[in-house]
Amino acid sequence: MNADFTAEELQFENEVREFLQNDFPAEYREKVDAGIRLSKDELVHWQKILYKKGWAASNWPVEHGGTGWSATEKHIFATEMGLIGAPEPVPFGMKMVAPVLMAYGSDEQKQRFLPDILQSNVWWCQGYSEPNSGSDLASLKTSAVRDGDEYVVNGSKTWNTYGQYADWIFCLVRTDTSVKKQEGISFMLIDMKTPGITLKPIVLLDGHAEVNEVFFDEVRVPANNLIGEENKGWTYAKVLLTHERTNISGVPRGKRRLAALKRLAGNTDDGFGGTMLENSAFKTKLAEVDIELQALEYSELRTLAALSVGKAPGPESSILKIVGTELAQEMDELFVDLAGYNCLPFVPEQFEDGFQGEAVGPGNSAAAALSYFNNRKLSIFGGSNEIQRNIISKAVLGL
Amino acid sequence: MWIFSNTEEQQMLQESVQKFVYKSYDFDTRNQIIASEKGFSQENWDLFAELGWLTVPFKEDDGGFGGSAVDLAVMMEEFGKAMLVEPFIATAVLAGGVISEQGSAEQKAELLPKIMEGSLQLACAYAEQGSRFNLANIKTSAVVEGDTVVLNGSKTAVLNGSNAEILLVAARESGAATDSEGISVFLVEAASAGVSIQSFANVDGKKSAEISLKDVSVPVSQRLGTSGSALQALQDGVDRATLAVSAEAVGAMESLLHKTVEYSKTRKQFGTAIGTFQALQHRMADMFIECQLARSIVIMAAMKLDGGESALEKTKSVSAAKSRIGRAIQKVGQEAIQIHGGIGMTEELDVGHLFKSVTAAEIMFGNTDYHTQRFASL
Ligand SMILES: Cc1cc2nc3c(=O)[nH]c(=O)nc-3n(C[C@H](O)[C@H](O)[C@H](O)COP(=O)(O)OP(=O)(O)OC[C@H]3O[C@@H](n4cnc5c(N)ncnc54)[C@H](O)[C@@H]3O)c2cc1C
């Protein structure tokens, strides 16, 4: 066994570190540290910086303008990004629809869509879930009926993250109702500006409208926006889901947050003349999180090792999703714990970009509860943690 | 023999709150109240006075209903189910309790009837940045100059701070920052020169404030009781408020459980109600267990507060209750959201607000770890 990097890998690590130190804008870093959401423009700007460096698409092959990195290089890059707090490229284009386009899109579709994704010219959102089809995604009902050179789409999608920013949406739609539910689904790309599409923001518990409901009323979509074959969409989507489940453990971000927790604990009065870093109960919880993070990191490295010798990510990657998200949620609990009374004020607007008023509470302590509420999503989306456990029971344990 | 059923009086109290909630406190109404200028409904407050609810925390000697902690818990539980945002704990339980314990006969005669008839809003300003949950940690200074006292310092997490006419300000007349001696409580008119109030709503919709005091002068006669002797009364008041918020959380958890179970019976995925999945059934069974244990320990603490136990035993039982309900809160709150799925994350549904309410309750008057450690140290 050997978990050391090679000399080349170490050199690469240095290069990434140096680049991020110099080129990840300091003001974004400050915002991220202060718990302030980066705006769409800022996210796009950052992605364009990555693009210029040639590092926008760490998971793409070279032929499409990706880095062509090995699993280890991707890991190094993701680690350094996470440690410094640089946001990963918005996943919907880069990580979700692009791999499907590469695998199943026509040449014309690849040429039409991939460059704009790579350069962050076009913002994508994911249109899978529906009000009545969440965990049971295959039961989705939004219909697409062929009419000459077009499909006519009717129905509604929900929980579309950042749909308010999106230029395009990739959807799973029902094209055949007469067969088994998985066999009548197609994968379709839809321009958000098409007449008949309306968006309704959904405000979440942290006071922010991060997701949307999207309604389709007689929306006419050119037939050449269909990916691959009609009724094969479920197969394509499943491929995408496995992509979604790599690099999901969030270990680098976890490390960064753990370091922040330690710093904060050292600066938080325990009320008795010491700091929370000396509080036995808190110290124990910090240690538990630290240890779990290490166990998770090595679980991820073991998965990566399998990937780097060409194995497909197996159902074991569900472990990374479950543990990674639950650990992130535990860290939120620790931030809430440290903030004490300071996380009670509900003033979400003070963490929006451009807030001018008088802030409540010291630092970003009032963001702790907001993040705690918001991150309950982590165990719900991307295949809920119950669904992940079902996968482990069935596909790994054979139950 | 043990009797855990409510007395007839308690049952009437419970039913009267239930009736009010049913008639006048649905989720939409609550949202409108939170969005209003004051953040609570004066009309409701007047009604609470009329119904005699505001007398419940007070002893008969003070002109109250009797001051039984069990009565209080019965009522708070119903408040919690509907997430009432009216400042009952801040004004009647906490500030009223401190005045009742520490005030002179004249001060009590002046203030307590006004609280009970609903014409006076109060807030108790004790916590400070850096004090965390230690009540004895008070840096706000009180310097006596002849007949007046000059106050300087800042207070955090002052429940009802923006609506109170009078603030009960805990300040230090002598001793070091965490000494138990030397703390006094002063009645300070919120409109006094030098008082600035930053107002906001908490995550549970209740109004709170950060307050700073800069050379605020009040007559010495506005001190409750004798100089430097207020910590015990403050602690007793906070203990009662802790019990009240715990009982409130028991009610809110009951709602969370109920709503989650009902939702799981109607939400269908994979062709069946999600409540038929054993993975979820066991989790809801665990939520039920947590709710029951939380209720039991709150009843225990309330009974001890009403009984003949030593002051130490009473305090210890309050910490035991707060510690245990804190664990229940985390479990029940998080599971309720998880089992609801995405819809549980939305502002539109009440479940998320119940989750936020109990999260605030976990922190109010000392969080789980604080009370566990306090229990161990007493
Ligand atoms: C903040 C947020 C952002 C999102 N972003 C997007 C997006 O951009 N695009 C998109 O398409 N979707 C998105 N989603 C939707 C997400 O994928 C769904 O919420 C998720 O699939 C769960 O579906 P549901 O919410 O309908 O819950 P349900 O499927 O109704 O599940 C309710 C509960 O039942 C459990 N459950 C369901 N089936 C089983 C079973 N067989 N065994 C045991 N337990 C079960 C679930 O785990 C959950 O706890 C987002 C969701 C959230 C909260």
Side-chain angles (χ1 to χ4, degrees):
Chain A
M1 280 193 223
N2 185 356
D4 292 336
F5 289 142
T6 63
E8 293 80 48
E9 286 162 352
L10 283 173
Q11 196 190 336
F12 176 68
E13 186 181 53
N14 259 330
E15 192 191 345
V16 174
R17 221 170 258 176
E18 209 165 294
F19 164 74
L20 290 174
Q21 282 295 344
N22 296 332
D23 290 45
F24 179 50
E27 51 170 308
Y28 297 177
R29 198 167 160 179
E30 278 161 28
K31 279 191 181 174
V32 170
D33 284 337
I36 296 170
R37 235 174 265 273
L38 292 185
S39 67
K40 175 185 178 178
D41 286 349
E42 289 168 334
L43 287 169
V44 168
H45 176 231
W46 166 231
Q47 284 177 205
K48 284 182 180 285
I49 294 174
L50 286 172
Y51 169 69
K52 264 201 213 117
K53 175 76 182 169
W55 289 356
S58 63
N59 63 324
W60 290 20
V62 177
E63 57 167 312
H64 294 298
T67 58
W69 283 335
S70 69
T72 313
E73 285 165 325
K74 280 186 222 170
H75 173 72
I76 289 171
F77 182 69
T79 300
E80 295 305 320
M81 292 266 284
L83 288 176
I84 201 170
E88 291 217 22
V90 178
F92 307 108
M94 209 74 85
K95 271 191 155 175
M96 295 184 174
V97 74
V100 174
L101 276 164
M102 289 174 202
Y104 307 105
S106 65
D107 285 341
E108 189 265 326
Q109 286 170 332
K110 287 179 204 172
Q111 275 158 26
R112 184 168 164 212
F113 293 112
L114 290 177
D116 278 337
I117 294 176
L118 186 67
Q119 297 171 40
S120 293
N121 294 334
V122 168
W123 191 293
W124 285 83
C125 72
Q126 180 188 31
Y128 279 15
S129 308
E130 296 181 4
N132 291 316
S133 303
S135 299
D136 181 14
L137 185 58
S139 68
L140 60 91
K141 291 206 169 59
T142 297
S143 67
V145 178
R146 183 78 183 235
D147 180 25
D149 286 345
E150 294 175 322
Y151 284 96
V152 182
V153 177
N154 278 290
S156 68
K157 293 289 176 183
T158 192
W159 310 123
N160 298 84
T161 300
Y162 292 148
Q164 68 268 41
Y165 297 154
D167 306 299
W168 281 78
I169 182 170
F170 58 94
C171 286
L172 290 178
V173 291
R174 182 145 311 277
T175 35
D176 192 343
T177 50
S178 67
V179 289
K180 229 181 102 193
K181 59 185 180 180
Q182 289 84 354
E183 287 162 12
I185 292 172
S186 298
F187 197 110
M188 194 171 274
L189 313 179
I190 304 178
D191 186 337
M192 290 291 278
K193 287 185 290 295
T194 320
I197 297 182
T198 46
L199 210 70
K200 187 175 153 237
I202 303 174
V203 178
L204 299 183
L205 294 182
D206 60 353
H208 186 75
E210 170 178 315
V211 292
N212 303 270
E213 232 176 314
V214 184
F215 301 93
F216 299 85
D217 180 20
E218 299 287 312
V219 175
R220 302 192 79 87
V221 179
N224 61 10
N225 286 9
L226 185 81
I227 297 282
E229 287 176 49
E230 206 176 80
N231 298 327
K232 289 277 169 64
W234 187 251
T235 320
Y236 307 157
K238 278 210 308 213
V239 170
L240 188 159
L241 284 177
T242 47
H243 275 272
E244 231 182 295
R245 236 172 272 144
T246 52
N247 274 326
I248 47 158
S249 71
V251 167
R253 191 173 136 75
K255 282 186 180 172
R256 191 169 153 273
R257 293 180 82 205
L258 182 67
L261 273 169
K262 285 184 184 162
R263 266 198 316 275
L264 195 60
N267 290 324
T268 303
D269 291 317
D270 67 355
F272 297 91
T275 73
M276 288 302 286
L277 204 53
E278 300 154 53
N279 178 289
S280 59
F282 193 78
K283 241 167 58 181
T284 305
K285 287 198 282 194
L286 259 187
E288 283 166 356
V289 164
D290 197 341
I291 292 163
E292 189 75 349
L293 196 57
Q294 297 183 28
L296 178 62
E297 180 175 22
Y298 272 70
S299 301
E300 183 168 46
L301 291 176
R302 285 172 55 214
T303 312
L304 280 174
L307 278 184
S308 61
V309 296
K311 289 192 195 155
E316 297 85 355
S317 62
S318 290
I319 299 172
L320 304 181
K321 200 278 172 168
I322 294 171
V323 180
T325 55
E326 292 177 4
L327 194 54
Q329 292 173 332
E330 262 174 63
M331 289 200 210
D332 279 302
E333 289 165 20
L334 296 192
F335 278 110
V336 164
D337 193 337
L338 278 184
Y341 285 138
N342 287 329
C343 77
L344 289 180
F346 186 66
V347 277
E349 58 281 1
Q350 85 184 37
F351 301 104
E352 298 289 340
D353 201 26
F355 173 74
Q356 298 290 343
E358 187 192 353
V360 181
N364 58 347
S365 51
L370 303 182
S371 174
Y372 171 63
F373 299 143
N374 182 271
N375 275 342
R376 297 318 304 171
K377 73 186 174 191
L378 299 177
S379 49
I380 294 172
F381 68 16
S384 78
N385 287 14
E386 287 73 33
I387 296 300
Q388 304 294 342
R389 286 183 168 92
N390 286 348
I391 292 174
I392 293 180
S393 329
K394 290 200 180 74
V396 184
L397 305 177
L399 295 170
Chain B
M1 205 182 87
W2 296 105
I3 301 170
F4 285 112
S5 55
N6 288 338
T7 63
E8 212 169 296
E9 261 178 354
Q10 286 158 358
Q11 220 161 335
M12 277 168 59
L13 188 59
Q14 187 179 34
E15 280 163 16
S16 123
V17 182
Q18 282 170 348
K19 213 169 107 193
F20 161 77
V21 165
Y22 181 76
K23 265 179 52 189
S24 330
Y25 221 88
D26 62 25
F27 182 55
D28 289 338
T29 310
R30 177 184 182 268
N31 288 339
Q32 283 163 20
I33 292 174
I34 292 173
S36 71
E37 162 109 37
K38 275 186 165 179
F40 79 94
S41 154
Q42 183 62 46
E43 202 180 314
N44 285 343
W45 195 256
D46 294 341
L47 186 66
F48 293 1
E50 201 178 301
L51 293 166
W53 296 356
L54 300 178
T55 69
V56 169
F58 295 98
K59 295 188 277 243
E60 276 175 33
D61 287 351
D62 289 334
F65 185 70
S68 138
V70 176
D71 291 351
L72 180 63
V74 166
M75 210 171 132
M76 293 314 301
E77 191 182 323
E78 297 306 322
F79 282 10
K81 284 182 190 164
M83 298 180 276
L84 257 63
V85 293
E86 276 63 23
F88 187 83
I89 291 183
T91 294
V93 181
L94 181 52
V98 172
I99 293 169
S100 166
E101 285 284 310
Q102 182 75 0
S104 66
E106 299 82 71
Q107 285 165 334
K108 287 199 255 187
E110 157 79 13
L111 298 170
L112 299 185
K114 286 189 189 161
I115 300 178
M116 287 184 259
E117 70 192 37
S119 63
L120 179 64
Q121 286 294 343
L122 299 171
C124 193
Y126 58 97
E128 300 177 357
Q129 286 300 337
S131 72
R132 203 164 166 83
F133 304 122
N134 181 7
L135 295 177
N137 188 335
I138 286 177
K139 295 193 186 73
T140 296
S141 65
V143 178
V144 179
E145 293 169 2
D147 284 347
T148 61
V149 179
V150 181
L151 302 169
N152 274 292
S154 32
K155 295 291 177 182
T156 187
V158 186
L159 277 184
N160 203 33
S162 54
N163 287 315
E165 286 156 60
I166 298 175
L167 307 167
L168 275 64
V169 176
R172 182 166 289 288
E173 291 197 61
S174 64
T178 55
D179 284 358
S180 51
E181 294 299 316
I183 297 166
S184 302
V185 172
F186 298 93
L187 301 167
V188 178
E189 282 183 27
S192 308
V195 176
S196 35
I197 299 176
Q198 186 186 24
S199 158
F200 46 84
N202 276 345
V203 294
D204 58 0
K206 291 180 183 170
K207 276 281 185 172
S208 184
E210 301 278 301
I211 295 183
S212 82
L213 305 143
K214 199 163 178 303
D215 296 327
V216 178
S217 292
V218 294
V220 173
S221 59
Q222 294 302 89
R223 182 199 284 131
L224 291 179
T226 56
S227 167
S229 68
L231 183 62
Q232 191 58 49
L234 201 57
Q235 232 155 34
D236 290 348
V238 170
D239 272 349
R240 286 212 157 233
T242 308
L243 177 85
V245 86
S246 301
E248 206 174 17
V250 167
M253 284 191 277
E254 199 68 47
S255 287
L256 280 165
L257 171 66
H258 174 74
K259 285 178 194 294
T260 305
V261 170
E262 286 310 305
Y263 184 74
S264 80
K265 289 179 186 168
T266 52
R267 172 68 173 175
K268 288 202 167 82
Q269 289 292 279
F270 303 102
T272 176
I274 60 170
T276 61
F277 300 132
Q278 212 162 50
L280 299 188
Q281 287 172 355
H282 281 195
R283 306 251 296 270
M284 286 184 274
D286 283 338
M287 287 169 74
F288 171 74
I289 293 169
E290 288 298 304
C291 284
Q292 290 302 316
L293 290 180
R295 169 178 305 244
S296 300
I297 203 149
V298 168
I299 290 174
M300 178 200 84
M303 288 170 88
K304 287 200 175 176
L305 283 183
D306 288 346
E309 272 80 3
S310 66
L312 179 71
E313 271 309 306
K314 288 182 200 280
T315 289
K316 231 179 141 162
S317 69
V318 168
S319 273
K322 189 67 186 354
S323 161
R324 188 60 188 85
I325 69 136
R327 272 165 55 202
I329 280 172
Q330 209 168 59
K331 174 104 182 162
V332 174
Q334 293 177 358
E335 291 289 41
I337 303 300
Q338 184 67 24
I339 294 171
H340 273 82
I343 197 80
M345 296 271 315
T346 63
E347 198 182 48
E348 217 176 291
L349 205 71
D350 50 5
V351 153
H353 294 263
L354 284 160
F355 173 55
K356 286 162 74 165
S357 285
V358 294
T359 301
E362 194 268 337
I363 295 161
M364 260 341 281
F365 310 119
N367 67 7
T368 311
D369 279 356
Y370 169 77
H371 279 285
T372 311
Q373 291 180 322
R374 183 173 181 244
F375 178 86
S377 72
L378 283 171

